[in-house]
Structures are given as structure tokens and as C-alpha cells.
Amino acid sequence: MNEASPRLSVIMPAHRAAGILPETLGALLASDMPREEFELIVVVDGDVMGYGDDRTAEVAREYVDVVVRLPGKPRGPSYARNRGAEVARGEYLAFIDADVYAHPDTLRKILETFENRPDIDAVFGSYDDCPTASGIVSKYRNLLHHYVHTAHPGEAETFWAGCGAIRSRVFEGVGMYDEWHFSQPQIEDIELGRRLRRRGHRILLEPSILVRHLKRWTLGNVLKTDLKHRGVPWMRLILHEGPSAGGSTLNVEPVHRWCVILAFLAVLGLLVAVVLLEPWPLLVTVGGVLGIVVANAGFFRVLLSAGGWRVALGSVVLHWLFYVANGLSAVSGWLAFFFVGAPQPPADVAAFDEIGVETWPPIPSRPKDSVWYKHGQ
């Protein structure tokens, strides 16, 4: 491209997102950051290349500078983000999910953070406290994320790709996202954060960098995410690599381990009451659930102020199930690690490693024939 290189490249992976892109891309274009200082890149993962009813690439072209089309089956956000980074020109790479609505100052605050903190190599923000999706489950889930991030500002041991940014040279230097182990949305951002920290890079959680999550959650996809896509892979990663460089962080603090114990005591009380057909074991259940509420009083105050009594009361059971899922994830991940082993790379990756290929991914695949530029080459 002929234009001067932008300072910030915003990379958005998208799969069948035609319906939501006008809102989320429109929000990015409404940024109070000068337009010439950032470029927008959408990577269409699993693009149907004109067939079927998916118009993600067509819609994206109306808003962005670069559209990368990846035909065939979806390969996951890790692969898509890496392909976007390969065509990016900015000094900094900002990763924004397709269902995330940026505030007007989001991009500016990302850039200002890097300028004000030259010692920081990556930064990520948080969801705000005004989720738009209706329903108790959606409000609970998005406010939980908001609370966890805003309650733990400062240096972090992990990374978040929903709204996170990294210096492009650092991103390339650590090997980008691990697209080989994570072919679907899982813990690819957590793994990247751990890799950054092991290489001596510093990550900042800056809760003033806010975005709004537009996703509608159901109880089913909450439990599936916590168990299959986050909890079990995270536990296997910890067992394989050891604790993170700085110890406990975010929702793995000691108080949360105690809450897992309380959650299972509550389950035990419920099971005993059902087996014995007696009400007294329910006192254990009530005590365990109340203990979780007390231990998470700060979070429930946020639920009450942002969602009202209905959301706060409904979230009592949801938060209990959250800790039950955490406990099941830890046990399942432990069993998977010791009976199946650590996650293994595909055979082709292992083969390249044996012959000493050190780049990661071992075969960069810039999809030149699938890149569209708004302003031409």
C-alpha cells in the first residue's frame, strides 16, 4: 500500500459475523483517535468465497482497510489473528473481537498506554458494566468479566484477546498465537500471555480501556466455555508448564479455591438431602452458597448496582455453578494430563522441530491471493 504506515493496526477475526459487523466496526470508525493513525483489518475465518448466505467479507469491505479471506473450514481465532498480523503495518497490534463494541476512546487509550509506559509490551482492558444483551445469564457473565478485570489492575501474568494490544515486534518475536494447539476459541490468549512473561515481557491490565460485549450468553454455552474451552485446557497448560511467572492472578487466587470447596460442599448437601429425603442436609447447601456470596461481596455489589436485585439474586445460583464448573475443570484437566499427557503439536510441527526449524509457526502462510485492500497496493 502507498499510504504512510499507521501507528496502530486493529485486527478483528470474524466468522459468520455479517449481522454484527456494522455495529462493531462502526464503533471503531467512531473512535476519537485520528483515522490516519490506525488501520482496520478483518480476517474472515471460513469464508465461503461468494457461496451460501454469508456476507461477512462483503459487509466488512464497507468499513475496513484490509479484508483477509480464509476459505474452507474455520481454523479458529488464533490462525485468523496471525494472518491479520502478517498483513498489518502498524507498530502496535490491537486485537478486537467481532462481538465487541469499542468505546470512542478505546483505541486512543491503547496507544497512550504504550506511549506513557515504554516498559510495557502488551496491554489489555475490560468489558464495561453496561452489557446490552438481555437476560440474567448474559448480564451475569459479562459483569463477572468486568469485575475480575477492574478488580485486578496493574501488571498481569496473562493476556486477553477480546480487547488487547501488543507491540508488533514483540508479537512476532514470541511466535504469535499458537494456532497449532488452539484451532478454536480456547485459551490461546492466556497461553500467549504466559509465553510473553516467560520471555521477560511485561503485560499491563488497564481497566480504563473499556469495550462492551454484545454476546448473548445461555447457561449451556457458559458451562461449555468454562469446562471444555477454558477450564480443562487451562489446567492442562498449568500442569504442563508449571505456575505462571508471578504466581496467582485474576480468578485463581486462594479465596476462589476456597469457594470451589464451598461449592462442592453445597452440592454434597443437596445430594444427601435427595438420597435421604431429609431437609436438614440442605443447611449445608445454603451455608455453602451463602459463603460464596460473602466471599464475593464486591462482585455482588457490582451486580446489584449494574443489574438490579433480579440480576443479583439470579446470579447467586449462577456463581455457585461457576465454581462447580471450575472444580470439575481442574479435576478433568488433571485426569487428562496424567492419563492422556500434555497437549501435543501436530506431526508436521513436531517434524519441523526435530530438524531445527525455530520460527513459529514453522510455515508462515501469508494468503496473498485472499487479501483485499481498500486503497489498493
Side-chain angles (χ1 to χ4, degrees), residues 306-319:
W309 282 103
R310 179 171 171 267
V311 172
L313 289 175
S315 297
V316 170
V317 174
L318 292 172
H319 212 45

Side-chain angles (χ1 to χ4, degrees), residues 6-18:
R7 304 181 68 189
L8 184 70
S9 295
V10 182
I11 300 170
M12 177 180 290
H15 173 67
R16 293 195 174 277

Side-chain angles (χ1 to χ4, degrees), residues 181-246:
H181 287 114
F182 304 107
S183 59
Q184 54 186 318
Q186 284 188 331
I187 59 166
E188 68 280 353
D189 47 0
I190 294 174
E191 189 278 334
L192 174 62
R194 289 168 62 92
R195 196 160 9 112
L196 285 166
R197 294 292 290 118
R198 288 200 307 271
R199 301 284 184 89
H201 299 293
R202 302 175 71 181
I203 307 170
L204 181 68
L205 196 172
E206 177 49 70
S208 69
I209 299 174
L210 291 172
V211 293
R212 184 167 300 160
H213 201 194
L214 304 183
K215 181 174 181 176
R216 181 181 178 275
W217 290 91
T218 66
L219 182 58
N221 60 31
V222 163
L223 293 176
K224 183 178 180 180
T225 297
D226 285 344
L227 287 168
K228 180 179 179 182
H229 297 311
R230 304 290 286 187
V232 173
W234 196 346
M235 187 65 183
R236 293 183 72 187
L237 182 67
I238 291 173
L239 290 171
H240 177 54
E241 297 184 349
S244 58

Side-chain angles (χ1 to χ4, degrees), residues 4-11 28 31-41 65-66 84 87-96 102 104-115 121 123 163-168 209:
S5 295
R7 304 181 68 189
L8 184 70
S9 295
V10 182
I11 300 170
L28 288 169
S31 171
D32 60 13
M33 182 176 171
R35 184 64 180 90
E36 64 273 12
E37 293 192 8
F38 70 96
E39 65 176 347
L40 289 180
I41 301 171
D65 303 296
V66 182
V87 300
R89 300 176 297 139
E91 180 182 355
Y92 310 101
L93 307 177
F95 300 102
I96 307 287
D105 61 0
T106 299
L107 299 184
R108 174 172 55 82
K109 285 186 174 180
I110 289 175
L111 188 59
E112 288 176 351
T113 299
F114 284 119
E115 292 178 337
D121 293 308
V123 62
C163 176
I166 183 172
R167 298 181 191 273
S168 57
I209 299 174

Side-chain angles (χ1 to χ4, degrees), residues 57-335:
E58 180 181 347
V59 171
R61 286 188 180 190
E62 300 177 11
Y63 297 88
V64 306
D65 303 296
V66 182
V67 175
V68 181
R69 307 176 68 169
L70 305 176
K73 67 179 182 179
R75 303 192 186 189
S78 293
Y79 186 90
R81 293 180 186 123
N82 285 349
R83 302 293 80 76
E86 288 175 348
V87 300
R89 300 176 297 139
E91 180 182 355
Y92 310 101
L93 307 177
F95 300 102
I96 307 287
D97 282 346
D99 59 358
V100 165
Y101 183 95
H103 286 206
D105 61 0
T106 299
L107 299 184
R108 174 172 55 82
K109 285 186 174 180
I110 289 175
L111 188 59
E112 288 176 351
T113 299
F114 284 119
E115 292 178 337
N116 296 332
R117 294 289 304 271
D119 57 320
I120 293 297
D121 293 308
V123 62
F124 63 97
S126 171
Y127 293 143
D128 63 20
D129 60 355
C130 302
T132 56
S134 61
I136 293 176
V137 177
S138 292
K139 292 187 181 299
Y140 159 78
R141 186 65 176 193
N142 290 320
L143 288 172
L144 173 61
H145 189 285
H146 164 77
Y147 175 76
V148 169
H149 278 203
T150 54
H152 298 82
E155 289 203 43
E157 300 298 321
T158 185
F159 184 68
W160 179 49
C163 176
I166 183 172
R167 298 181 191 273
S168 57
R169 58 173 175 78
V170 172
F171 182 68
E172 182 179 357
V174 300
M176 306 193 290
Y177 284 98
D178 183 351
E179 63 191 53
W180 305 103
H181 287 114
F182 304 107
S183 59
Q184 54 186 318
Q186 284 188 331
I187 59 166
E188 68 280 353
D189 47 0
I190 294 174
E191 189 278 334
L192 174 62
R194 289 168 62 92
R195 196 160 9 112
L196 285 166
R197 294 292 290 118
R198 288 200 307 271
R199 301 284 184 89
H201 299 293
R202 302 175 71 181
I203 307 170
L204 181 68
L205 196 172
E206 177 49 70
S208 69
I209 299 174
L210 291 172
V211 293
R212 184 167 300 160
H213 201 194
L214 304 183
K215 181 174 181 176
R216 181 181 178 275
W217 290 91
T218 66
L219 182 58
N221 60 31
V222 163
L223 293 176
K224 183 178 180 180
T225 297
D226 285 344
L227 287 168
K228 180 179 179 182
H229 297 311
R230 304 290 286 187
V232 173
W234 196 346
M235 187 65 183
R236 293 183 72 187
L237 182 67
I238 291 173
L239 290 171
H240 177 54
E241 297 184 349
S244 58
S248 296
T249 162
L250 299 183
N251 60 340
V252 292
E253 295 176 336
V255 64
H256 299 295
R257 299 190 185 107
W258 282 108
C259 285
V260 171
I261 295 174
L262 289 173
F264 277 89
L265 284 175
V267 171
L268 180 61
L270 184 61
L271 293 175
V272 172
V274 171
V275 171
L276 299 181
L277 297 178
E278 294 284 348
W280 62 264
L282 293 178
L283 293 175
V284 177
T285 299
V286 173
V289 174
L290 288 178
I292 291 173
V293 173
V294 171
N296 293 271
F299 172 49
F300 278 92
R301 282 194 292 268
V302 170
L303 287 169
L304 184 61
S305 63
W309 282 103
R310 179 171 171 267
V311 172
L313 289 175
S315 297
V316 170
V317 174
L318 292 172
H319 212 45
W320 170 33
L321 293 177
F322 167 75
Y323 283 114
V324 171
N326 282 351
L328 292 175
S329 297
V331 173
S332 300
W334 184 89
L335 291 173

